[in-house]
Amino acid sequence: MADQLIPQHIGIIMDGNGRWAKLRGLPRYAGHSVGAKTFRRIAEYCNRIGVRYLTVYAFSTENWKRPQKEVDTILELMMDYLRDAESYVKLNIKTHFIGDLSAFSEEMRQMMDHAEKLSENATGLIVNIAINYGGRRELAQAMQKIAAEVKSGALLPEEIDESTVAAHLYTAGQPDVDLLIRPSGEYRLSNFMLWQTAYAEYVFMNTLWPDFSEKMLDNAIREFQKRNRRFGGAE
Ligand code: IPE
Ligand code: IPE
Ligand code: MG
């Protein structure tokens, strides 16, 4: 992969784990476990080819609707990731969690905090793990924070602009998503990065997430490189 034109920020909706398992006669949670391995491979690959930011959708604010056993498995896989945080630091990967983290246990939040601190000096890929993440929740929370600043007198309503909103999102200080990839054959955002994908290029694929490969990421980047991004300007 050529260095130039590598998207700076890639977002991935890691979808299709359940169907992958079902196709093999396995319980849905088995698909999540293989999906977690795919995540590791893809994060390492993004780091290697020089992607700056990778945001992965791991668990949405709506995913609590799933059977308890499945939710527990996903949280357990997250704990595995947290226990393994050191190995990502060795790869120079920086970890950041985005989402409404208040829903998680004190123990898990401390581990997330620890993983972030451990990797704070890493200079390679920055991985945002979206967990209990919802684009609408993120915007609502940003509005709460902005309203509190207005109430305190630190900010005037007429001073609120797009940069104010961006600065109060979980991704404050990061660039918008350039390339959004959704595998699994679904053509929707499912509440992912509503603000940050305003001008993203979308690539949809039929592959189920556990089968997603480095080669498929290359293909998505190639597709991205062919697109003509105008951002509203003229040709
Ligand atoms: C994505 O795979 C993982 C999570 C939502 C946590 P799914 O579990 O949604 O897989 P499908 O879409 O049912 O196949
Ligand atoms: C989106 O996938 C959430 C994650 C991949 C974590 P879903 O499987 O929850 O989305 P829908 O229900 O198909 O829209
Ligand atoms: Mg799904």
Side-chain angles (χ1 to χ4, degrees):
M1 250 311 112
D3 261 10
Q4 71 278 30
L5 292 173
I6 290 281
Q8 208 187 166
H9 190 165
I10 297 182
I12 304 183
I13 301 175
M14 305 188 290
D15 195 21
N17 295 347
R19 278 164 284 174
W20 184 92
K22 195 170 172 213
L23 277 168
R24 285 159 182 78
L26 299 168
R28 291 179 56 85
Y29 57 80
H32 296 310
S33 163
V34 180
K37 293 198 174 71
T38 305
F39 159 71
R40 183 169 182 114
R41 266 196 292 110
I42 296 302
E44 282 184 28
Y45 187 63
C46 284
N47 188 40
R48 213 158 51 236
I49 65 174
V51 175
R52 288 300 298 132
Y53 297 87
L54 170 68
T55 302
V56 289
Y57 205 5
F59 192 83
S60 76
T61 47
E62 288 75 36
N63 286 148
W64 298 102
K65 290 177 194 157
R66 298 187 177 201
Q68 192 58 42
K69 169 110 180 92
E70 184 176 348
V71 171
D72 288 346
T73 310
I74 295 168
L75 296 183
E76 200 37 58
L77 287 165
M78 192 51 62
M79 291 298 268
D80 285 348
Y81 173 87
L82 292 167
R83 284 187 280 262
D84 190 32
E86 187 93 49
S87 76
Y88 286 86
V89 181
K90 285 199 183 110
L91 293 169
N92 201 21
I93 293 176
K94 186 170 179 159
T95 302
H96 181 51
F97 293 93
I98 63 169
D100 184 354
L101 307 183
S102 68
F104 301 113
S105 68
E106 183 60 29
E107 186 201 1
M108 193 165 160
R109 273 188 290 162
Q110 274 179 14
M111 286 175 80
M112 291 195 261
D113 221 42
H114 177 70
E116 287 186 349
K117 288 213 176 78
L118 209 61
S119 69
E120 70 189 354
N121 295 320
T123 54
L125 177 74
I126 295 163
V127 177
N128 294 317
I129 300 183
I131 174 167
N132 194 29
Y133 175 89
R136 288 179 171 179
R137 178 82 53 94
E138 179 179 37
L139 285 164
Q141 291 189 339
M143 288 175 207
Q144 277 184 16
K145 288 183 231 162
I146 293 168
E149 285 176 30
V150 170
K151 193 177 173 198
S152 76
L155 189 68
L156 291 170
E158 54 273 27
E159 285 170 343
I160 300 169
D161 60 13
E162 292 172 20
S163 71
T164 318
V165 177
H168 288 81
L169 300 176
Y170 306 134
T171 52
Q174 300 187 2
D176 282 347
V177 174
D178 297 300
L179 167 62
L180 185 278
I181 303 172
R182 182 162 192 163
S184 93
E186 308 294 357
Y187 302 93
R188 53 179 174 258
L189 270 182
S190 301
N191 204 10
F192 185 61
M193 309 286 270
L194 299 179
W195 178 279
Q196 299 90 334
T197 56
Y199 270 103
E201 295 297 329
Y202 290 63
V203 173
F204 295 100
M205 296 181 176
N206 287 324
T207 312
L208 302 171
W209 177 249
D211 290 329
F212 193 85
S213 65
E214 290 83 336
K215 207 169 149 29
M216 288 172 198
L217 188 77
D218 280 347
N219 289 342
I221 293 175
R222 247 178 241 117
E223 171 69 32
F224 169 84
Q225 290 168 339
K226 280 192 245 157
R227 305 268 177 97
N228 182 5
R229 301 182 85 191
R230 283 186 288 277
F231 298 99
E235 194 60 41

